[in-house]
Amino acid sequence: MAVQLLITDKNLAVQGDPLDGWTNLDVTKRFNEPGSGSVDVPARPEVMAQLQPGNRLVVIRDGGIWMAGPMEIPADFSWSVTEEPGWGKVTISFSDDLATVAGYITWPTPASAWTAQLAHTWRQITSTNAETIIRTLVNENCGPGARAERRIPNFALDSVAGVGSATTVNTRFEPLLDTCRRIAVDGGAIGFRIRQTASQILFGCYAPADLTATARFSIGLGNLRSIQSKQSAPTVTHALIAGTEPDTGTTGRTYVQVADAAAAASWWRVEKYVDGSAVNDANGELTQAGNEELAGGAAPVELATITVDTEDLRAGRDFDLGDRVTVALPYGVEIVDLVRSIHLQATPGSGEYVTTLIGSPGASTDPATVKAIRTLGRRLGRLETR
């Protein structure tokens, strides 16, 4: 099995020999989301010495970095005379480097100190390419263009990919990655990711590939171990957005409707009220809010597959996060949608298993409470300006 685990410090310097004797590696990469993972390792002194706060874990698969990022729980140690004799066991929980970016919020005036932030001020970028907006927000909040105390060590922007379409952002005290996801959806359904080089952590955008003709999974092709599929009705087909309430009088409030007519025709009409009272619609922000609701409430097709890597089709090499792929179900139906996550499980004895989750943005393993908290966080940030 061609999996290797390394520990580095914040400056990407390897701290010791590759981890030896590990078991139960579990790693999940997610589209436009921080990935996560865990691994069990014998708690030998040379291993424990590497598990320091701020250090990172790097998962190398087939000679390339599969995922790398900070250890969120560096050492969950256990020992018993019956279950874990000898050195005992330590479980390392880690994420990918997007989790570090996720720790930031959008400052309305990022060049100024926190104590100098202005009331009722937004960070606004209008009618600009989505990739440019995302790169700008990341750069000025945690990248090399940020204030010194906010910069992530060894963090830089990757090469410009030239992807996305024009959109607008109005943000204030929102989680940075939540804002980037909203821009990515409205600005051409692009992706963003982080990759590690020998000396840097690079953030960049990309356009997911349409691999429906080449990345195909079916029982007949012999590249599936199991399939579990579920399709649900949409939770919204008509987003009804209400803009800012006027100070006086009964007229003047802007109302915008954004509809998915095809979904309503196939299923039925589902209306959802969207409060846009903290949004100025001068640059189409109400429409943007409606598009976001439709994307999140689209009829999700959730497809969990356990795949078998073949010479012709391998996760991370022939398809990756955000790509459009095809899965042929046994009863003659083919599902085409985006790869939302790739889950790698590995043990030295049984080998590797790769599971993919395919579907709309709502096709997620996140509990509903997590999604609700994200929405509330964004709305509370907007209310600070009122």
Side-chain angles (χ1 to χ4, degrees):
M1 181 172 52
V3 173
Q4 188 179 58
L5 307 179
L6 296 174
I7 303 293
T8 77
D9 64 10
K10 291 181 179 179
N11 294 319
L12 312 185
V14 176
Q15 297 299 286
D17 293 332
L19 298 183
D20 186 32
W22 60 266
T23 59
N24 302 319
L25 175 66
D26 190 296
V27 184
T28 301
K29 302 195 298 182
R30 298 180 178 89
F31 179 55
N32 288 358
E33 299 261 8
S36 61
S38 65
V39 64
D40 295 335
V41 186
R44 294 190 294 268
E46 63 271 20
V47 172
M48 300 302 291
Q50 299 184 53
L51 306 183
Q52 301 301 317
N55 282 356
R56 305 166 62 257
L57 192 143
V58 181
V59 179
I60 299 174
R61 183 182 185 228
D62 294 339
I65 296 178
W66 179 262
M67 195 175 86
M71 296 185 293
E72 296 184 325
I73 305 177
D76 184 356
F77 173 77
S78 62
W79 178 92
S80 72
V81 70
T82 55
E83 296 182 4
E84 299 294 341
W87 296 113
K89 179 186 73 174
V90 60
T91 299
I92 306 169
S93 297
F94 58 98
S95 61
D96 72 12
D97 287 305
L98 271 181
T100 309
V101 179
Y104 288 77
I105 63 173
T106 57
W107 289 17
T109 52
S112 302
W114 173 251
T115 53
Q117 297 299 303
L118 301 175
H120 308 292
T121 300
W122 295 79
R123 180 64 176 104
Q124 185 180 71
I125 306 174
T126 62
S127 302
T128 303
N129 171 267
E131 179 186 11
T132 301
I133 295 177
I134 292 172
R135 289 170 60 91
T136 298
L137 291 178
V138 170
N139 181 51
E140 66 189 19
N141 282 286
C142 63
R147 292 178 58 85
E149 69 272 18
R150 302 187 74 202
R151 294 173 192 162
I152 298 173
N154 305 292
F155 182 88
L157 297 180
D158 209 339
S159 301
V160 175
V163 300
S165 56
T167 185
T168 293
V169 67
N170 235 3
T171 183
R172 174 182 172 89
F173 305 146
E174 296 180 83
L176 176 57
L177 276 194
D178 287 0
T179 306
C180 291
R181 274 190 291 270
R182 187 169 77 250
I183 298 163
V185 170
D186 194 62
I190 64 175
F192 52 82
R193 60 192 170 196
I194 276 185
R195 65 185 181 92
Q196 177 186 327
T197 66
S199 60
Q200 286 185 310
I201 298 168
L202 299 178
F203 176 94
C205 298
Y206 68 101
D210 185 351
L211 303 177
T212 53
T214 57
R216 297 178 59 85
F217 302 93
S218 71
I219 296 174
L221 291 173
N223 56 10
L224 287 179
R225 289 186 184 270
S226 69
I227 310 170
Q228 182 177 357
S229 66
K230 178 177 71 174
Q231 184 169 17
S232 305
T235 58
V236 54
T237 64
H238 290 70
L240 309 176
I241 310 98
T244 303
E245 189 78 47
D247 294 333
T248 59
T250 58
T251 62
R253 192 173 193 183
T254 302
Y255 294 92
V256 172
Q257 173 179 280
V258 182
D260 185 341
S266 298
W267 295 87
W268 48 79
R269 183 184 178 105
V270 184
E271 297 180 345
K272 182 175 182 179
Y273 173 80
V274 181
D275 181 9
S277 58
V279 175
N280 182 344
D281 197 43
N283 298 287
E285 288 94 334
L286 295 182
T287 300
Q288 183 185 74
N291 287 332
E292 183 183 3
E293 292 293 339
L294 288 184
V301 177
E302 299 177 45
L303 183 69
T305 67
I306 297 179
T307 67
V308 180
D309 283 337
T310 66
E311 290 298 323
D312 296 326
L313 192 61
R314 189 172 178 84
R317 185 194 70 185
D318 302 305
F319 69 94
D320 216 325
L321 296 173
D323 292 341
R324 293 179 63 86
V325 299
T326 301
V327 177
L329 303 183
Y331 48 87
V333 173
E334 290 190 347
I335 294 178
V336 173
D337 218 316
L338 301 188
V339 176
R340 294 288 166 184
S341 68
I342 301 176
H343 184 193
L344 169 65
Q345 294 174 294
T347 62
S350 59
E352 302 174 0
Y353 296 90
V354 179
T355 305
T356 60
L357 178 67
I358 300 168
S360 72
S364 170
T365 55
D366 287 342
T369 52
V370 174
K371 298 177 184 177
I373 288 171
R374 285 179 176 166
T375 301
L376 287 173
R378 186 177 77 245
R379 289 177 179 173
L380 287 172
R382 290 183 176 277
L383 287 174
E384 291 293 324
T385 64
R386 299 183 66 186

